Amino acid sequence: RAGSVDSGNTVTDYLPAERERGITIQSAAISFDWGWHNNMVGDDYDQTDNVAVHLIDTPGHVDFSVEVNRSVAVLDGAVLVVDAVAGVQAQTETVWRAITRPSLNNHPDHLKASSEAADGGGSGDTSASSSKNNTNDQHGHEPLPCLAMVNKMDKEGCNFGMAVRSLRYKLPGANPIAIQIPLFRVGDLNAGNAATSSSSSILPPNLFAVDVDDVSSSLAQNGEFVGVVDLVHMRAVVWPDIGGPSVGAVSNVDECIPTVTNLLDGETHEPVCEGCQVTQMARGCRADLVGHLADIDEAMEEYYLLEEEPGNAAIRAALRRVTLSRKALPVMAGAALRGKGVEPLLDCIADLLPSPLDRMPPAINRLDNASSAWSGKRKKGGSKGNNDRSDNEIQSPERRINFGHPLHSKTLALAFKVLHMKGRGGSGDGRVVFARVYSGKIRARDTLKIITPPLPGEVPEPPRTERVGSLLELAGGRFDNLEDGSCASGDVCALVGLKTVVTGDTILLASDDAGNGNKKGRGKKKGGGTAGADEHIGNVCLAGVASPKPVLTVRVEAESAEQQAKLSDALNLLSVEDPSLCVEETESATLLSGLGELHIEIVLDRLRREFGLEVTTGSPAVAYRETVANTIETNGLVEYDRTIGGTRLQAAVHLMIEPMECPNAAMSDNSSCMILADPIVTIGPEAREYLGVNEEAPEEELAMRSEVAKALISGCVGSLKRGQIGPYSLANVRCHVLNVDAEGGLQGLSAMPGSLRAAAANAISTLLADEASSSCTVLEPTMSVEITLPSEMVGTVLSDLTGRRGTVGDVIMGEDENDGGNQAPGHAKALIRGEVPLIEILGYANGLRSLTGGEGAFTAEYKGHSPCD
């Protein structure tokens, strides 16, 4: 039977904490086939077509945003679920940014700068090659085509039009287009609403449709949501009640099968019933749909200008084009708890979202200089660094197929999630690796080559080889062995037996590189061609997966020394599963850092349930940072000259530190919040000339090729981790080294790179100490909050927020209309939006309940760091 969040028996929410709280904490995957309904004979599909769907259910809470990040890394499309009452909420905006952003790792500028540096030396004849790969060069990850589902249409206060409007105005770049309108049923119709479908012989009585532009319909407030009108196919889809007294009611969701009624004649395309209000409303909304599509699709524009009526298949094809190109966001309505709207949503997933063949191959970064497989010609003057964007062009000689494309024969996969399952992993700690296979195939007992993407400036780790024990099929919390023991391109599976794989690792097949030239006839096809079998892949990796920075830290202690050792092992396993969880162990304490109170609370709950550990926690501490408000510069060269252990360290450094605006900040103009970015160190022309390094190469490449440059950069980075106001590392700053000098010249620095490292650290600490009072400031994590409360209590809560150093953005007062006495006075709710420092709202749920008599609720998401008052 179908599970329910309220009943705690869902398939994808299988953890005890998920079922108790009614929320998703861990992403879970499930695979199924769907035979969608738009495959009629004579249409644009064969009647027997089915679609294989791999569904990943992700959390909506901001404390578990790492689950969204790593799921987005492997998805081809997304369904954004929006509350029909609240519309777009704070966490919805966070998920939207993850869906649409062009980079999945923490260093988008690094990839872009490296690519620009590699292309910078090219001559004019490279323009054709550059334009050919322009789409793939723009980002390390292709943003996801998306659908929107306005859920909970059966909830009191639902408003489909307002939800669509919130999508348009709150989600940057979204162009919501309603492809359905909701159907409601009312018991008694007054004279003013007599022109409804009650006079229709094709629909049940007392049904009416609500226009998407109608944001204040009283009928929707008093009616019962029973179905939708499909504007593409002009049909009404009505679901029966569950457990109600009405005729045709069913006992459970499994029996909730909809009745589909065509509103137009199949041959004449004229209304089946002229007086039907639902048909009239649907025709007007369908005309609006065609008009919206005409603005962004050429084929629909031609229909619109010629005043011709497009067919169902033409509209569906146009919707697919604009969805895949992310020019539009198709919006549907439903009430999933009662099984309403699910089937049309699955049909739209099949119709509108992409298959693996519709997506670009993932961006590949090359980590070695092996070039025998790179069939695409390298640009003139191009760098051979490890981030050349032509690396995708490992191609089959017979046809132009990039490495990572589903039709390419070589194996490429990404490990996007790691779990530890006792008795299933077969690797000591029970490690199970979730992987998305982009190309090729992974079979049980295959030997894999594992590559971890390096951080900027770090030398890549050598590849590791491991053998797959078995493959598991994904079905929420149930894991069964795959029948054929293999996972093909485009699929998602769980790999057992891999001991060292972590989230973000790239998986290749070891045999793809081993002995290609020695195996006679390997990969041969008729006609003498090969399907890429003789290509040498080399060491390549994908961009990896981003992990949000922790904002809250607590101190944890075990009850005994024996328990402390178990605690250390347990936290190590949990940090492997959750990259956003940071563990710092010292001789005196263990510090646990996460993304919020709920995140830490869930980790402590897992320690108790899964590992049997009872721990004591200290008071939470938020993650402060420091930054500079304006540009500061040393007074020329700052000399460092000391003798340590009989060794003289002498060098001088001239540098400047300036504030850096993070490019990913999606903040309003009047907000002081900023998204944190790690400090960046750059080396100027004079310093490069003195050090004898390439004038155009990026700093990451210099750190790998020159020990002196590496010492200079590491000295700057190390010193920027120590602020002057408090023990907080600096963020959102750029340190630019203008010049360096040493008595022994470059030869002396090469013999003792540590002298330049110490001189750089000394110059930064001296500069910050001199300018701390005037230029340095502390940043504190700030939360975007939304508070729902009774209207009469707004003043009390606003006063409390002001006392917590909060900034109020919007106050939306609900209408207190008792509709002729049917509702009790004071029923209206109000919504407060604002920003509050995280330190001020720790434990705010209890305070809000006390202020509002238990009627208030709030959500909070990390918005950024802002200057501390």
Side-chain angles (χ1 to χ4, degrees), residues 625-684:
R625 295 290 186 269
E626 289 187 30
T627 191
V628 294
N630 46 60
T631 302
I632 55 178
E633 182 179 346
T634 61
N635 187 15
L637 291 166
V638 178
E639 185 177 8
Y640 179 86
D641 190 354
R642 292 186 184 178
T643 301
I644 302 176
T647 302
R648 184 189 180 199
L649 302 178
Q650 190 278 330
V653 178
H654 179 200
L655 53 80
M656 62 184 293
I657 301 175
E658 58 184 354
M660 178 182 63
E661 182 178 355
C662 181
N664 290 336
M667 304 302 168
S668 59
D669 295 336
N670 59 354
S671 176
S672 60
C673 284
M674 60 185 76
I675 299 296
L676 290 185
D678 292 331
I680 293 177
V681 179
T682 58
I683 304 177

Side-chain angles (χ1 to χ4, degrees), residues 613-631:
L613 295 171
E614 296 289 345
V615 297
T616 303
T617 61
S619 300
V622 302
Y624 293 100
R625 295 290 186 269
E626 289 187 30
T627 191
V628 294
N630 46 60
T631 302

Side-chain angles (χ1 to χ4, degrees), residues 827-851:
H827 174 78
K829 293 283 188 177
L831 176 66
I832 300 175
R833 294 193 181 100
E835 299 175 8
V836 187
L838 173 60
I839 190 66
E840 299 289 350
I841 59 169
L842 295 177
Y844 182 59
N846 294 330
L848 181 62
R849 280 196 295 266
S850 176
L851 288 174

Side-chain angles (χ1 to χ4, degrees), residues 637-642 648-655 683 687-688 690-693 706-717 719 737 739-743 745-746 748-764:
L637 291 166
V638 178
E639 185 177 8
Y640 179 86
D641 190 354
R642 292 186 184 178
R648 184 189 180 199
L649 302 178
Q650 190 278 330
V653 178
H654 179 200
L655 53 80
I683 304 177
R688 288 174 180 252
Y690 187 89
L691 298 177
V693 296
S706 169
E707 287 296 328
V708 179
K710 180 179 180 180
L712 174 62
I713 294 174
S714 63
C716 294
V717 172
S719 185
V737 181
N739 200 3
V740 297
D741 193 15
E743 293 181 1
L746 179 59
L749 292 178
S750 300
M752 187 62 65
S755 59
L756 190 56
R757 180 186 298 107
N762 175 68
I764 290 178

Side-chain angles (χ1 to χ4, degrees), residues 569-582:
D569 294 338
L571 289 177
N572 180 56
L573 293 180
L574 293 178
S575 62
V576 170
E577 292 185 9
D578 184 358
S580 65
L581 183 68
C582 296

Side-chain angles (χ1 to χ4, degrees), residues 585-621:
E585 293 187 285
T586 64
E587 294 182 358
S588 58
T590 299
L591 300 179
L592 189 63
S593 301
L595 301 180
E597 288 183 281
L598 182 59
H599 188 200
I600 298 296
E601 186 179 338
I602 293 299
V603 171
L604 298 178
D605 182 73
R606 292 191 62 188
L607 288 175
R608 178 178 59 84
R609 291 178 186 268
E610 299 177 21
F611 301 94
L613 295 171
E614 296 289 345
V615 297
T616 303
T617 61
S619 300

